[in-house]
Amino acid sequence: MKKEYFVQYSDQSIINSFNFPKDNFVSITVGISEITHDLIPSLVQKMFCLPVFFVLESMILGYEKETLIENKVPFYEFSSDGAIVKVDSVEKLDLVSRLAEVLVNNGLGVFVFYGEGLAEQDLIPSRQWNKPIEFKNVDIHKVDTFVDVEEVGFTIFSKSNLFNTPGKVQNYIPGCYSLDINSSDI
C-alpha cells in the first residue's frame, strides 16, 4: 500500500517561522508520515538542477561528519555540529539525502537551497526559540527556492511558477506516495 501525503498552502504560522520577504515567496506544505531515502533525491532531481545546498543544522548523531569525510564530500562547518554541503553530483545527492533522512526522522531539521550565486558560508541559519529562523547572510534575491524538510514532511518556499500551487507540487512527489485528496488544497 502506498504511503499517503497531503499538499496545501502553508499555514501563516509556518510562513512566520522564517524571517524573509514573504511577498516574494509562495509557501506550500507537504505532509508525509514517513520520509524515506528515495523521497529527498527524487524531489531534488525533479525540482532542481544541480548544484543545490543542503543545510544540516545539527549532526548530533555522531557519524554524519565522519561519513562526509570518509566519502571525500567537502562541507562547510558552521557550528560544533552543523554543516552546509554543496551537492553537485548524483552520487553526493544520494549520500547527503541518506544523511538528511536519518536526521529528519530523528526530529532534526534540514534545509535544501536552490538558486544562482549561492555560497555555503551565506546559508548559515540562526535559530532562537522566540524568533523566526533567519539566514542573515544570504541574498534572498539569489534564492529561487528553499525547502524545509522535517520529520512530518516538508515546506517549499519558492519564487518559481513550477511549484507555486499545491496542484503543481504533487507532480514532483514520487509515485510510491498517494495523494490524500480530502486533506489537500487541490
Side-chain angles (χ1 to χ4, degrees), residues 31-58:
I32 295 179
S33 61
E34 184 180 348
I35 302 288
T36 59
H37 71 278
D38 61 331
L39 176 66
I40 297 171
S42 177
L43 280 174
V44 170
Q45 287 180 318
K46 287 181 177 183
M47 293 174 77
F48 313 120
C49 297
L50 297 178
V52 297
F53 294 87
F54 276 73
V55 178
L56 310 174
E57 272 193 293
S58 181

Side-chain angles (χ1 to χ4, degrees), residues 18-180:
F18 289 91
N19 187 13
F20 62 91
K22 288 150 182 63
D23 55 340
N24 293 345
F25 291 85
V26 173
S27 177
I28 308 291
T29 297
V30 177
I32 295 179
S33 61
E34 184 180 348
I35 302 288
T36 59
H37 71 278
D38 61 331
L39 176 66
I40 297 171
S42 177
L43 280 174
V44 170
Q45 287 180 318
K46 287 181 177 183
M47 293 174 77
F48 313 120
C49 297
L50 297 178
V52 297
F53 294 87
F54 276 73
V55 178
L56 310 174
E57 272 193 293
S58 181
M59 299 187 297
I60 62 171
L61 302 177
Y63 76 96
E64 302 92 342
K65 184 175 178 178
E66 294 168 16
T67 301
L68 292 172
I69 292 169
E70 286 171 7
N71 287 282
K72 297 179 176 66
V73 175
F75 60 95
Y76 180 84
E77 202 167 356
F78 64 86
S79 68
S80 61
D81 63 352
I84 300 168
V85 183
K86 181 178 182 180
V87 174
D88 53 7
S89 71
V90 174
E91 294 78 22
K92 279 185 193 175
L93 177 60
D94 186 53
L95 177 75
V96 176
S97 294
R98 278 189 264 129
L99 293 175
E101 171 202 354
V102 171
L103 291 171
V104 298
N105 284 328
N106 281 288
L108 301 168
V110 172
F111 301 103
V112 180
F113 278 85
Y114 176 72
E116 292 293 322
L118 297 174
E120 291 95 333
Q121 62 272 18
D122 296 337
L123 301 174
I124 300 169
S126 170
R127 188 185 292 257
Q128 296 175 335
W129 72 271
N130 60 344
K131 294 183 180 178
I133 297 170
E134 193 172 15
F135 295 92
K136 293 178 182 179
N137 298 324
V138 72
D139 180 352
I140 205 70
H141 301 293
K142 292 180 179 180
V143 176
D144 177 72
T145 302
F146 76 95
V147 181
D148 176 16
V149 186
E150 296 182 343
E151 189 174 16
V152 294
F154 56 94
T155 302
I156 301 168
F157 297 88
S158 184
K159 296 182 212 174
S160 174
N161 290 333
L162 297 174
F163 6 89
N164 63 352
T165 69
K168 291 178 183 177
V169 168
Q170 72 177 345
N171 298 323
Y172 298 96
I173 308 295
C176 61
Y177 293 92
S178 170
L179 177 66
D180 177 356

